[in-house]
């Protein structure tokens, strides 16, 4: 861990206002916990500092749905239509939905994140833009789709299931909704990415800033908490969105992956859940991110530099990342307040990953 500590110190020295934290665990023990910089102006980042982790929430939400399926003696091969008959692609399996193959990243019209029933209605009126085996990241619609399936399967939303079955029993510093008011002062404030020079001239960014494209619509089909300013509010922290509503410390995020691997006492996850989440379901050109990606049931497993040792996990906007390696029993989490541009981790976290 000496190289990791050195790389982390270099990150902080290069930009001391960019608060962040990293936690590394292996086989149920924390090997390293580092933090530095500011959580808020003139407030140092501490080990228990929480911060919105955006899409790094998705893996935890998927694990809940998969565990609920397991408890019903079902698995990701179950067709979505068996739980949600009006789903536009009813013969798509839950595994295909969790691996972004159902073609509903961009909806026919916008829907508010805070109104799940309106999200359901708009999804049901939308036409899939592709079908399996094609895939494209669902940055926003992943949330309401998972919530609706959880409701149909258990009568609970993901946030309630997570709180009762996972977070509270394990004491995780990882909330999906249900953030106690006394924790509000422990949440770091996000700062938007600083633009240096012109916007990257890539196919993704050209499509992202063109309101006529499916790529733009994929990031704007679900409306609400779309900016860092909105994410710095109790309403966002309590939204419970399975796609981006998580608020966690680095330690809490890393501990989730230890629990997923069955390496923490009283883990609620069956071994099958980790197996489903580490098995690739699709790989190739991503029709949303416009680059090569690969997904398991609810997690990312490529690009390989973000998931070393054959690992899987999920990134969050701005640079946050959580992953685990079943082969080594290792889990890693990085969270930050000062966001970087892009949907995948940037130089700060890749510098840390290179030391593992």
């Amino acid at each position: 861990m000496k190289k990791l500590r050195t790389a982390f110190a270099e990150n902080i020295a290069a930009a001391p206002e960019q608060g962040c934290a990293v936690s590394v665990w292996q086989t149920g023990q924390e090997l390293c916990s580092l933090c530095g910089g500011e959580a808020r102006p003139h407030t140092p980042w501490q080990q228990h500092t929480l911060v919105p982790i955006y899409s790094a929430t998705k893996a935890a939400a998927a694990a809940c749905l998969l565990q609920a399926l397991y408890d019903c003696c079902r698995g990701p091969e179950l067709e979505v239509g068996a739980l949600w008959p009006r789903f536009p692609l009813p013969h798509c399996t839950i595994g295909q939905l969790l691996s972004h193959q159902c073609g509903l990243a961009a909806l026919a019209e916008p829907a508010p994140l805070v109104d799940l029933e309106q999200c359901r209605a708009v999804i049901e009126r939308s036409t899939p833009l592709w079908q399996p085996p094609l895939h494209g990241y669902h940055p926003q619609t992943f949330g309401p789709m998972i919530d609706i399936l959880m409701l149909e399967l258990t009568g609970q939303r993901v946030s309630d299931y997570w709180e009762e079955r996972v977070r509270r029993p394990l004491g995780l510093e990882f909330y999906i909704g249900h953030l106690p008011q006394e924790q509000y002062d422990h949440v770091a404030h996000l700062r938007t990415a600083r633009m240096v020079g012109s916007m990257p001239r890539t196919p993704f960014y050209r499509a992202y800033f063109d309101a006529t494209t499916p790529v733009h619509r994929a990031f704007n089909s679900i409306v609400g908490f779309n900016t860092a300013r909105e994410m710095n509010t109790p309403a966002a922290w309590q939204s419970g969105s399975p796609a981006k509503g998580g608020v966690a410390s680095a330690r809490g995020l890393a501990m989730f992956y230890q629990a997923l691997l069955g390496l923490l006492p009283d883990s609620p996850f069956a071994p099958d859940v980790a197996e489903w989440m580490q098995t690739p379901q699709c790989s190739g050109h991503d029709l949303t991110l416009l680059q090569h990606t690969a997904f398991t049931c609810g997690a990312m497993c490529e690009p390989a530099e973000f998931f070393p040792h054959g690992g899987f996990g999920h990134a969050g906007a701005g640079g946050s990342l959580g992953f685990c390696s079943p082969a080594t029993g290792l889990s890693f989490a990085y969270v930050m307040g000062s966001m970087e541009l892009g949907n995948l981790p940037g130089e700060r976290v890749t510098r840390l990953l290179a030391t593992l």
Side-chain angles (χ1 to χ4, degrees):
M1 293 292 112
K2 182 178 180 180
K3 290 182 179 179
L4 176 65
R5 293 177 183 276
T6 299
F8 186 85
E10 291 173 351
N11 280 352
I12 296 298
E17 81 284 0
Q18 295 180 347
C20 55
V22 64
S23 178
V24 181
W25 287 64
Q26 189 168 33
T27 57
Q29 300 293 324
E30 189 172 37
L31 303 182
C32 187
S33 177
L34 304 171
C35 58
E38 293 184 337
R40 302 184 182 197
H42 312 297
T43 302
W45 201 292
Q46 298 178 344
Q47 287 185 338
H48 300 290
T49 295
L50 305 168
V51 68
I53 59 170
Y54 284 91
S55 289
T57 312
K58 286 182 170 74
C64 289
L65 178 60
L66 290 168
Q67 181 61 45
L69 283 168
Y70 177 87
D71 289 341
C72 296
C73 300
R74 300 294 185 91
E77 71 284 351
L78 181 69
E79 292 185 348
V80 176
L83 298 176
W84 185 357
R86 294 177 62 85
F87 188 71
L89 204 63
H91 299 300
C92 174
T93 69
I94 290 177
Q96 289 168 332
L97 182 150
L98 288 174
S99 53
H100 305 272
Q101 298 182 65
C102 67
L104 290 163
L107 301 181
E109 59 193 85
L113 181 145
V114 296
D115 189 334
L116 186 60
E117 287 310 305
Q118 188 168 344
C119 288
R120 182 199 292 259
V122 173
I123 290 170
E124 291 175 353
R125 291 197 296 268
S126 298
T127 301
L129 298 184
W130 62 81
Q131 298 187 23
L134 299 177
H135 77 279
Y137 184 49
H138 290 50
Q140 304 281 17
T141 57
F142 188 94
M145 290 193 297
I146 299 302
D147 247 350
I148 290 165
L149 289 173
M150 279 292 287
L151 272 173
E152 297 299 331
L153 189 63
T154 70
Q156 289 185 300
R157 295 179 69 158
V158 167
S159 59
D160 298 326
Y161 186 98
W162 170 263
E163 179 67 13
E164 293 180 14
R165 293 287 302 273
V166 184
R167 195 211 67 78
R168 192 188 305 154
L170 295 179
L172 298 185
E173 295 173 345
F174 183 173
Y175 298 86
I176 304 176
H178 300 282
L179 180 68
Q181 188 170 351
E182 59 266 25
Q183 292 285 357
Y184 287 3
D185 289 341
H186 297 149
V187 181
H189 279 194
L190 294 167
R191 305 178 187 184
T192 55
R194 293 178 179 177
M195 291 299 300
V196 180
S198 60
M199 180 65 64
R201 299 174 64 88
T202 66
F204 170 77
Y205 280 106
R206 285 196 293 270
Y208 178 85
F209 286 104
D210 181 348
T212 67
T213 67
V215 171
H216 176 88
R217 286 165 43 217
F219 284 87
N220 294 278
S221 284
I222 304 298
V223 180
F225 312 119
N226 295 101
T227 67
R229 178 175 294 180
E230 291 175 297
M231 291 296 284
N232 288 330
T233 63
W237 309 335
Q238 299 289 15
S239 71
S241 167
K244 63 179 183 180
V247 179
S249 67
R251 177 175 290 163
L253 182 56
M255 286 181 67
F256 154 65
Y257 283 99
Q258 289 287 293
L260 183 60
L261 295 180
L263 298 174
L264 293 184
D266 302 319
S267 169
F269 297 111
D272 293 49
V273 175
E275 181 68 26
W276 293 331
M277 291 192 69
Q278 68 179 291
T279 303
Q281 300 292 311
C282 60
S283 178
H285 182 69
D286 188 303
L287 294 170
T288 300
L289 299 181
L290 304 183
Q291 67 178 78
H292 181 94
T293 60
F295 292 94
T296 71
C297 289
M300 310 173 83
C301 54
E302 292 182 25
E305 61 265 31
F306 301 124
F307 308 103
H309 308 294
F312 67 91
H314 218 291
S320 58
L321 176 70
F323 83 89
C324 64
S325 166
T328 64
L330 184 80
S331 67
F332 169 97
Y334 173 86
V335 299
M336 78 295 131
S338 184
M339 302 174 70
E340 292 183 321
L341 189 66
N343 293 291
L344 293 174
E347 291 183 3
R348 282 177 284 173
V349 68
T350 53
R351 189 178 298 121
L352 303 179
L353 290 172
T355 70
L356 296 179

